[in-house]
Amino acid sequence: QVQLQESGGGLVQPGGSLTLSCTASGGVFAAATMGWYRQVPGMQRELVATVTSGGNIRYADSVEGRFTISRHNAKNTIWLQMDDLKPEDTAVYYCNIRRVITPTYTYWGQGTQVTVSS
């Protein structure tokens, strides 16, 4: 059973920075894509950033240039460095891992709250 352990959420002022981390355990992680999604109440969960095991990265337009995702394959860990945070970045951030080749799977972390407010 794959498990995802997230950390790093909190309260920050506009313009500030936070770093989220997510470590996966209990599965096969080669060829798996890891990433971050976020959700606010009443809205659909949306992609923030993803990174493949080969290092291909994708960002949402709303965070491009402000957020940086990175990955350490040997540690099964990803980080999301969030700079120049805005109130509209306030959400619960979820770590995700998915694998589209056998064994296929998709797992979510429990979520970590990020609040940007003065």
Side-chain angles (χ1 to χ4, degrees), residues 51-107:
V51 56
T52 69
S53 59
N56 292 316
I57 290 172
R58 176 186 177 190
Y59 293 105
D61 290 344
S62 59
V63 307
E64 182 88 50
R66 299 188 297 120
F67 291 10
T68 303
I69 190 168
S70 57
R71 176 170 178 163
H72 193 303
N73 285 332
K75 295 182 179 180
N76 301 322
T77 299
I78 60 170
W79 296 269
L80 184 69
Q81 173 67 38
M82 303 184 292
D83 297 318
D84 189 24
L85 282 159
K86 305 177 185 298
E88 52 264 41
D89 295 317
T90 296
V92 177
Y93 285 68
Y94 294 91
C95 181
N96 171 268
I97 186 169
R98 59 184 171 87
R99 196 168 188 269
V100 298
I101 60 173
T102 303
T104 62
Y105 57 72
T106 300
Y107 291 95

Side-chain angles (χ1 to χ4, degrees), residues 8-12 16-20 80-83 85 113-115:
L11 172 65
V12 64
S17 299
L18 280 176
T19 301
L20 306 181
L80 184 69
Q81 173 67 38
M82 303 184 292
D83 297 318
L85 282 159
Q113 177 71 46
V114 171
T115 302

